[in-house]
Amino acid sequence: MSEDPALGDVLDVLSDEYARAILAATSVKPMSAQQLADECEMSKPTVYRRVERLRDYDLIEERTAIQDDGNHYSVYAATLSELSVELDEGSFEADVTRREPEAFPGQRETDTADRFAKMWENL
């Protein structure tokens, strides 16, 4: 979606405990559906349903994890950074802040050695 979704829609998505668990887990590091199922103690179909709904509102993104053996798979990373709700003169205003996805691991590191270490760890 190019525009921020309506407040009620975002709150509806975030009212789901499974969706919140997925967002919390993927805010730490990108995770596959199997990793999310294990970490959040839910079935893979539940993970996929919630991920699809979170993707509909641009609260999570899908990335491809590259494997040497050619068996690539999807991982998910939270893009939601902050949700703020303001009540002003009888109306609610919602602001959704999203993280910019990293082009490569370690992109946000300011120290060259740390940046190289992050890139190396993810090869």
Side-chain angles (χ1 to χ4, degrees), residues 48-95:
Y48 284 119
R49 281 192 303 273
R50 293 333 189 271
V51 163
E52 187 62 34
R53 192 149 185 234
L54 291 164
R55 285 183 63 206
D56 287 345
Y57 292 98
D58 295 327
L59 301 175
I60 201 168
E61 69 178 0
E62 183 176 3
R63 301 177 184 170
T64 301
I66 307 295
Q67 299 294 301
D68 290 338
D69 63 2
N71 189 16
H72 312 317
Y73 61 94
S74 294
V75 293
Y76 304 96
T79 58
L80 175 66
S81 175
E82 181 179 343
L83 171 67
S84 61
V85 179
E86 180 181 350
L87 175 60
D88 187 31
E89 297 186 20
S91 67
F92 287 96
E93 293 292 323
D95 185 38

